[in-house]
Amino acid sequence: MSISNPSNRILPPSFYIRADVVQIARELLGMVLVTCIDGILTAGLITETEAYAGAIDKASHAYGNRRTARTEPMFSKGGISYVYLCYGLHHLFNIVTGPEHIPHAVLIRAISPLDGLEDVLLRRNKTILTPTLSSGPGSMSAAMGIKRNHTAMSLQGPLLWIEDRSLQPEDADIISGTRVGVAYAAEDALLPFRFWIKGNAFVSKAKGL
DNA sequence: CAAACGATTTTCT
DNA sequence: GAAAATCGTTTGG
């Protein structure tokens, strides 16, 4: 399978540096996440995202501008990754957005495989394509080969980048709801900061309005 | 320095 | 549906 000159389809830094993280989370639906890790190129269509609005968002690791070694990448200029270990065994991949010092990020919760399916199956120790292959933030990262050491990495490549292949859903096919696993965030858990593509099989089964 | 805790997934009953 | 798996980060003493 050939990838036709993707260079001019890579989302530029200007896409990420904008201020509205919720809008960016929405626009990322239908974009294509590409990784070239250990020399293996794989790609998937982004089907589910969640916005984390840093300083003012109780669900964010950077709530109240809490700055630690782990959260440091979120305070950088938009356009890099933020990957951290969750529950001791899952690597969760985020896209840092906004200008420098504004710790906004978008969690990529699910993708639908596009390129390199054979390698994706190997990474997940599976033999057939099913939604569980890459639906859910932990399994998505595993499918794409993303690990914690890929944090604070440029989204202009050469290991990670996002392409616009003109596959965005219609506005009517974008659904929003509450974020998953953030009950501790009190009233902010009710914010409609989760987005997914209507009817897509590759959306996590976790509950959310 | 010790202890608790996840932006979850998989397996077992 | 319940419970285990599993460990870096953060917080408290």
Side-chain angles (χ1 to χ4, degrees):
Chain A
M1 172 172 331
S2 71
I3 316 290
S4 62
N5 180 27
S7 57
N8 57 355
R9 300 177 175 182
I10 295 179
L11 295 183
S14 57
F15 177 89
Y16 303 103
I17 296 172
R18 291 174 295 156
D20 189 345
V21 64
V22 177
Q23 175 64 18
I24 293 173
R26 185 186 176 94
E27 289 180 19
L28 280 168
L29 291 178
M31 297 296 184
V32 179
L33 172 63
V34 188
T35 63
C36 188
I37 290 167
D38 297 327
I40 299 170
L41 193 136
T42 51
L45 183 90
I46 296 171
T47 56
E48 182 181 0
T49 63
E50 279 180 1
Y52 285 83
I56 60 164
D57 183 353
K58 289 181 181 174
S60 171
H61 292 162
Y63 174 59
N65 280 315
R66 201 159 51 99
R67 199 162 182 153
T68 67
R70 179 179 65 155
T71 64
E72 187 61 28
M74 282 201 277
F75 290 84
S76 297
K77 211 170 4 172
I80 66 172
S81 60
Y82 167 54
V83 185
Y84 72 96
L85 190 65
C86 183
Y87 292 104
L89 49 155
H90 302 296
H91 304 261
L92 269 57
F93 173 73
N94 297 253
I95 290 165
V96 175
T97 73
E100 191 171 13
H101 305 307
I102 305 296
H104 287 180
V106 176
L107 172 69
I108 305 302
R109 291 190 54 88
I111 56 113
S112 169
L114 289 178
D115 300 323
L117 180 60
E118 290 302 307
D119 290 301
V120 169
L121 289 169
L122 279 174
R123 283 179 183 140
R124 296 275 292 129
N125 193 29
K126 293 188 180 294
T127 54
I128 58 169
L129 176 62
T130 66
T132 58
L133 184 67
S134 53
S135 306
S139 52
M140 184 289 290
S141 295
M144 297 301 284
I146 297 170
K147 302 194 209 50
R148 198 166 45 76
N149 58 303
H150 297 114
T151 196
M153 222 162 243
S154 169
L155 296 181
Q156 300 303 116
L159 271 57
L160 309 171
W161 66 93
I162 296 178
E163 297 176 10
D164 179 354
R165 296 189 189 176
S166 301
L167 298 172
Q168 288 86 339
E170 302 289 323
D171 276 355
D173 289 327
I174 295 177
I175 314 289
S176 65
T178 56
R179 294 172 292 183
V180 177
V182 297
Y184 59 85
E187 73 275 12
D188 287 345
L190 302 176
L191 295 169
F193 281 8
R194 176 183 176 221
F195 298 94
W196 67 93
I197 298 176
K198 181 180 180 179
N200 193 291
F202 288 84
V203 168
S204 68
K205 299 298 177 285
K207 38 194 169 283
L209 195 64

